[in-house]
Amino acid sequence: MTLFVSLIFAEAFTEKLKNTPLPDSSLVNIRGRIRDLQYGEGDMIKYVVIGEWKCYVNNISMADAFKTGDIVLIKGTETPIAPPENPGDFDSFKYELSKGIRHIVFTESAEVLKPSTFNIVSHFEILNHKMSEALIKKAPVSGSTVSTILLGDKRNLPENRKDLFSYVSLSFFLVISGLHVSFLSALLLKLLKSITGSCKVSLIMTVVLIILYGLLTGFTVSVKRAVIMYLIRALAEFLNKNYDTMSALSFAGTLELISNPFSVYSISFIYSYSAVFIIAFFYSYVQPDIPKEYFRNRLFLLLRLPLFMMLFMPAVSLLLSSEFSFAGMLINIILSFITMPLLILGIVLLILSNLNLTGLTLYFDFIEGLLIKLIDAMCLAGSKLNILRTTGMPGIINIILYSFTAFMAVLMLKKRFLRLSLLIMAVSLNLLTHRFFMGPVITFLSVGQGDSCVIQTGKRSALIIDTGSTSKKKPGEYILIPYLKYRGIDTIEKVFLSHGDMDHVGGVLELIGKDYSGIDIKEIIFPDVGFNEAFNDISEVSKEKGIRIRKIHRGDSLHNNRFNIECLWPEKSKIETCNDNSMVLLVNITKDTKVLFTGDIGAEAEAGLKLSYINGIDILKVAHHGSKYSTSEEFLERIKPEIAVISCGVNNYGHPAKETLQRLQGFTEDIFITKDKGALVFHINDQRFFTGTRKLGTTSEAGDV
C-alpha cells in the first residue's frame, strides 16, 4: 500500500513539475547546512547538497574545506534539470528527485559561515575517503575494485570493467549491495561467536558493527534495506521469535518510502527490493510445495533459486535498462562461491593498506587480483555469448503475455509439475524478449545543436544518418547507444555521415569504439569528396574494427527489400567536405513514404539537385538546422513537403530562422523542432502517425501524418 501511494504521489508531483516551463539559467544565493557531499579527483569535493540544491564546486579552491554539517553560503548559476528528450535516455530528472534534489547549481563562490563542530556523518565520510585513497594507492592491482565493492568509491574503477560487468548484467556486483552486507554480517557473527562464545553478545556486537559499516558507506538504499532487515532478524533471534523475510522487507520498504516517496524512482531501490522479494517469495511460498525427492539431486539444489530468479529478474532489468544477459545469471552461480573469500581478502587488504604494511598489502593485493581476474575472465567469456543477451524495452503485448505465462509457470511449480513449469518458463521468457516489428520507425533524435536520425528497418536492424552534436556531451554514448538498446537494435546496416562537421559526426567514434555496446556496425558511408581530418580519424578506427568504408556521390543508390536510398548530392569532388558538399539522400522506406535528408546544404546546392522525377516528399529533414540561407522557396516548391523536421538545440546562430519557418509554413502546417518537442518518432505502416517524447514545459502532440 505504501509503495502504491508513494508511486501515485511521485508521479503526480513529477507531472506537475513537467508541466512547469523550464526556467532560464539564473544567479542564486544559497545559504544552508550541507547534508551530503561527493568527492571528485584527489581531495577535491565534486559537489555538496544543501536541502534540495545540488551545488557543483569542482573549481572552487576552498571546496576541500567543506564538511557535512557546515553552514555555507554558495553563489552560482542555477541550471534546470531537464527530463529525458529521447527514448532510452537516462532520466536525470527522476534520479535527482530520488535523491531529494530539485535544483542544480554551478558554484562561482562559496563561503563557510559556520563550521560543524561535530557531525558523525562527516567523520565517517572523511574516514571513507581516506581509507579508499590509501587502498587505491597501496594495492595497485585490486585496490580500485575492492574500494568500489567495500566502500562504494567508484572514482577509480576502470571504465572497461564497469562496461563489461554491465554488459553481462552483473553491475550489482560492483556496488555495495544488500548481498555484501548479508555476507559481511554472517562473517562477523561467525567470527565473533568463535571469539566471545556467546550468541547474544556476538549478535549485539555484529549489529553495532553493521550500523557503523552503514555509516561508513553512506547508507545507500540497498545497504539501508539490508541493515534494517538484519536488525529485525537480530531482534527476533535475541527474543527467540520467528523471523519473516517478507514482513521485514515490507517494514524496511515502508520506512524508506515514508522518508522519501521518490525512492520509487531509484534503480537501486527497485533492483534491491525486487531481488529480495523474489528470493523471499520462492523460499516462503514455492519451495515448500516442491517434492522432497527433488532435493536429493545436487544439480537441482544448486540451480533451483537461480532458475526461479531467471524467470523474473530479466523483466525487471529490461524495464529499467532495456538490456539483460542470461550469462550473468550463470556467472552469478559461480560468484556465490567466490564472493565470501573475495570479501574476506578485501577486508584484510583494506586493513593492511591503512596500517601501512606495504609488504603484506602487496601480497594480498596479488591474491585478490587473481580472484578479480578470474571474475573478469568469466564475464569476458559471458560477453561472447550474444545468444544469451537481449535488449529492447518490452511492449505492452510482451508484458501481458509474459505476466500470464510467468504466473502459470509458478502455479505449475507449486502443483509439482516441474518439467512443465520449466517449459512454461522458457516460453514466458521468449514472450518477454520477442520483438514485434510493426513496420519501419524513423526517429529524429534530440541531440541539441546537431543532427542524428535512426531508421529502424527490421526487428533488430537500422540505418543511421548523422551522429553529431556540439551542445551535448558524448551523443554517441549517452543518446544513440541507449536509444538503440531501448529499441532492441543490435545491427546497424549503414551509417551515413553527411559531412565532416562535429554537429553531424561527433558521436560516431563513441558508437564505433565503445567496448561492450552490443552494437554491430556493418558499413560507414561518406560523401565522395575530399576527406577532412574527422573522416580520416573515423576511417582509421573503422578499419581497426573491421567496418567497411564506402564513398558515394550523385547517382549512386543502395537498396534491399526493406529500403531504397538514392544519393542526390554531392557531385564527385576533391574539394574538402563542407556544408554545400553535404550528402543529400532520398530514402524510400515503403512505396508511399519518401524522406529527404539534406545535411547542411545551402540554397545554391539546393538549386543543383535533380528533383524533376520526385512527386512530393513526405518528410523533409530541413537543411542546416533551419538556417535562413537554406530551404529556399524555389526548393520547397519543387519538393512540396508534407512534414518538415528541424533538428537543433538552444543556440546563438538563430536556428531555426524566422524566414525559414515562414517559407515552410507556406507549404505545410506540420513543422516539428527537436528543441521544442524532443525526439520525433514516425511509425511507418498502413496508417502513419507521429509521436513526440515529452519535454518539460511542452505538450506532446499526436495526429495523423
Side-chain angles (χ1 to χ4, degrees):
M1 178 57 75
T2 309
L3 177 63
F4 182 69
V5 171
S6 297
L7 187 59
I8 291 176
F9 169 79
E11 281 296 309
F13 187 82
T14 306
E15 194 68 20
K16 182 180 178 181
L17 289 180
K18 283 186 175 181
N19 286 320
T20 304
L22 279 172
D24 294 328
S25 296
S26 56
L27 293 174
V28 292
N29 294 335
I30 304 154
R31 184 183 186 279
R33 190 181 300 276
I34 296 174
R35 68 173 173 90
D36 191 16
L37 57 81
Q38 177 68 50
Y39 285 95
E41 292 184 8
D43 290 328
M44 292 297 290
I45 292 171
K46 185 177 181 181
Y47 65 77
V48 298
V49 179
I50 304 168
E52 296 180 336
W53 299 80
K54 184 178 189 178
C55 308
Y56 284 93
V57 293
N58 306 55
N59 301 319
I60 306 301
S61 59
M62 63 171 294
D64 57 344
F66 288 160
K67 301 189 302 294
T68 298
D70 289 351
I71 295 175
V72 299
L73 173 64
I74 285 181
K75 298 179 181 180
T77 305
E78 180 187 0
T79 301
I81 308 172
E85 299 177 13
N86 300 283
D89 273 2
F90 176 72
D91 197 336
S92 57
F93 186 72
K94 287 184 176 179
Y95 171 80
E96 298 295 359
L97 273 179
S98 74
K99 301 287 186 182
I101 294 166
R102 290 179 55 190
H103 310 276
I104 299 289
V105 172
F106 289 92
T107 304
E108 295 174 7
S109 66
E111 177 186 356
V112 177
L113 300 177
K114 184 179 178 182
S116 171
T117 52
F118 178 79
N119 186 293
I120 190 168
V121 174
S122 174
H123 284 286
F124 274 100
E125 282 176 345
I126 295 168
L127 178 62
N128 179 299
H129 181 64
K130 288 182 176 178
M131 291 176 75
S132 178
E133 289 287 306
L135 178 61
I136 291 167
K137 184 178 179 181
K138 294 170 185 175
V141 178
S142 64
S144 60
T145 303
V146 173
S147 177
T148 301
I149 294 171
L150 289 179
L151 297 174
D153 185 357
K154 301 177 184 178
R155 291 174 301 154
N156 294 282
L157 183 68
E159 203 65 35
N160 200 49
R161 178 169 290 149
K162 196 186 300 181
D163 290 341
L164 175 60
F165 276 63
S166 175
Y167 191 76
V168 294
S169 300
L170 282 176
S171 293
F172 67 86
F173 191 76
L174 294 176
V175 297
I176 304 172
S177 66
L179 175 67
H180 296 143
V181 175
S182 300
F183 272 117
L184 285 172
S185 58
L187 178 64
L188 283 171
L189 186 60
K190 190 172 183 179
L191 180 64
L192 291 170
K193 274 184 181 178
S194 64
I195 295 172
T196 64
S198 169
C199 288
K200 290 191 175 182
V201 171
S202 57
L203 199 61
I204 293 170
M205 292 176 69
T206 301
V207 165
V208 172
L209 289 172
I210 288 296
I211 291 173
L212 292 175
Y213 179 69
L215 286 167
L216 181 66
T217 57
F219 270 120
T220 60
V221 168
S222 55
V223 170
K224 201 186 303 180
R225 191 258 321 145
V227 169
I228 292 171
M229 290 182 70
Y230 186 76
L231 290 176
I232 296 170
R233 185 182 195 118
L235 183 63
E237 286 188 31
F238 197 82
L239 298 174
N240 294 317
K241 301 290 185 180
N242 291 327
Y243 171 75
D244 181 67
T245 306
M246 282 292 195
S247 299
L249 181 68
S250 300
F251 181 75
T254 300
L255 287 182
E256 177 66 36
L257 293 172
I258 288 173
S259 64
N260 180 15
F262 296 107
S263 290
V264 292
Y265 292 146
S266 167
I267 290 176
S268 297
F269 176 87
I270 298 169
Y271 267 122
S272 181
Y273 279 83
S274 297
V276 176
F277 175 82
I278 293 166
I279 292 169
F281 182 80
F282 175 77
Y283 283 118
S284 300
Y285 301 103
V286 177
Q287 182 164 286
D289 292 324
I290 298 175
K292 291 182 180 178
E293 58 266 22
Y294 284 122
F295 290 93
R296 299 186 193 124
N297 186 316
R298 291 187 179 181
L299 184 62
F300 176 80
L301 279 173
L302 180 67
L303 297 178
R304 70 193 193 283
L305 181 59
L307 282 173
F308 192 77
M309 294 283 287
M310 198 180 288
L311 177 61
F312 294 103
M313 287 312 293
V316 176
S317 185
L318 286 170
L319 288 169
L320 290 176
S321 63
S322 300
E323 62 179 329
F324 184 79
S325 173
F326 291 96
M329 301 295 289
L330 301 176
I331 296 169
N332 197 38
I333 296 171
I334 303 171
L335 282 181
S336 63
F337 298 101
I338 298 176
T339 301
M340 184 64 85
L342 186 79
L343 291 177
I344 292 171
L345 285 170
I347 293 168
V348 171
L349 198 56
L350 188 62
I351 294 169
L352 293 174
S353 62
N354 280 272
L355 291 176
N356 289 319
L357 299 173
T358 307
L360 284 172
T361 300
L362 291 173
Y363 173 73
F364 280 99
D365 181 37
F366 173 74
I367 299 172
E368 184 83 331
L370 290 177
L371 277 178
I372 292 170
K373 285 178 181 177
L374 173 62
I375 297 170
D376 282 346
M378 289 190 295
C379 290
L380 192 59
S383 71
K384 307 293 184 186
L385 302 173
N386 287 327
I387 194 171
L388 296 179
R389 189 172 184 274
T390 185
T391 60
M393 178 64 67
I396 188 66
I397 297 174
N398 298 89
I399 293 169
I400 291 170
L401 294 174
Y402 160 76
S403 301
F404 174 74
T405 49
F407 171 77
M408 292 302 297
V410 173
L411 188 63
M412 291 300 103
L413 189 58
K414 285 180 68 66
K415 289 185 176 295
R416 306 190 175 194
F417 297 119
L418 182 60
R419 290 182 177 84
L420 180 59
S421 176
L422 290 172
L423 177 62
I424 297 175
M425 280 185 188
V427 172
S428 179
L429 291 171
N430 184 61
L431 290 170
L432 176 69
T433 58
H434 181 76
R435 295 292 160 259
F436 296 94
F437 184 64
M438 309 301 288
V441 178
I442 307 172
T443 303
F444 294 89
L445 294 169
S446 181
V447 292
Q449 188 63 14
D451 261 309
S452 186
C453 178
V454 178
I455 303 174
Q456 186 168 359
T457 56
K459 283 183 184 179
R460 298 193 177 273
S461 61
L463 309 170
I464 295 177
I465 300 174
D466 284 334
T467 65
S469 175
T470 53
S471 63
K472 295 211 173 185
K473 183 181 177 183
K474 295 185 177 181
E477 182 175 348
Y478 296 142
I479 298 176
L480 263 166
I481 292 175
Y483 172 77
L484 296 173
K485 287 180 180 177
Y486 178 90
R487 295 292 307 178
I489 297 167
D490 55 25
T491 301
I492 306 301
E493 298 177 70
K494 301 178 192 302
V495 176
F496 296 88
L497 299 175
S498 63
H499 62 295
D501 288 355
M502 290 306 292
D503 59 341
H504 290 256
V505 304
V508 72
L509 287 177
E510 299 148 26
L511 196 64
I512 298 169
K514 185 172 176 60
D515 293 326
Y516 312 115
S517 68
I519 310 297
D520 179 25
I521 300 172
K522 302 294 186 184
E523 186 174 38
I524 293 180
I525 299 174
F526 301 129
D528 195 357
V529 294
F531 272 20
N532 66 2
E533 188 177 344
F535 281 171
N536 285 329
D537 292 342
I538 294 164
S539 296
E540 287 178 14
V541 177
S542 298
K543 287 171 184 175
E544 288 174 9
K545 296 286 185 178
I547 300 170
R548 295 191 303 272
I549 296 292
R550 184 192 295 195
K551 295 182 284 184
I552 62 173
H553 55 270
R554 180 153 73 177
D556 289 337
S557 63
L558 308 135
H559 56 85
N560 63 20
N561 60 346
R562 292 190 295 273
F563 58 82
N564 182 63
I565 299 174
E566 298 175 56
C567 181
L568 307 182
W569 195 260
E571 298 279 12
K572 189 172 183 178
S573 169
K574 292 185 179 179
I575 299 173
E576 186 176 304
T577 179
C578 62
N579 286 348
D580 267 349
N581 273 338
S582 293
M583 185 190 298
V584 176
L585 300 173
L586 177 63
V587 181
N588 293 273
I589 298 179
T590 65
K591 275 186 194 176
D592 304 320
T593 307
K594 294 192 285 283
V595 187
L596 186 64
F597 293 87
T598 52
D600 277 357
I601 62 171
E604 186 178 338
E606 290 172 354
L609 297 177
K610 296 178 180 178
L611 302 170
S612 57
Y613 66 98
I614 298 173
N615 184 25
I617 293 295
D618 295 291
I619 303 173
L620 168 67
K621 202 292 295 178
V622 175
H624 206 175
H625 321 289
S627 165
K628 65 181 179 181
Y629 302 109
S630 302
T631 321
S632 66
E633 191 153 352
E634 294 78 11
F635 175 66
L636 292 171
E637 183 66 46
R638 293 164 71 196
I639 64 171
K640 296 182 175 60
E642 287 187 31
I643 300 164
V645 170
I646 301 174
S647 179
C648 67
V650 176
N651 63 86
N652 298 319
Y653 306 109
H655 296 162
K658 290 180 181 178
E659 298 92 327
T660 304
L661 292 173
Q662 286 171 356
R663 290 195 293 268
L664 285 167
Q665 286 164 0
F667 293 87
T668 177
E669 295 180 356
D670 294 322
I671 304 169
F672 302 109
I673 307 170
T674 56
K675 176 170 64 74
D676 300 328
K677 298 296 181 186
L680 304 169
V681 184
F682 296 83
H683 296 258
I684 312 299
N685 48 35
D686 294 335
Q687 270 196 315
R688 292 173 288 148
F689 62 92
F690 158 76
T691 59
T693 60
R694 202 157 171 207
K695 291 183 67 177
L696 205 61
T698 68
T699 303
S700 181
E701 298 181 13
D704 293 333
V705 173

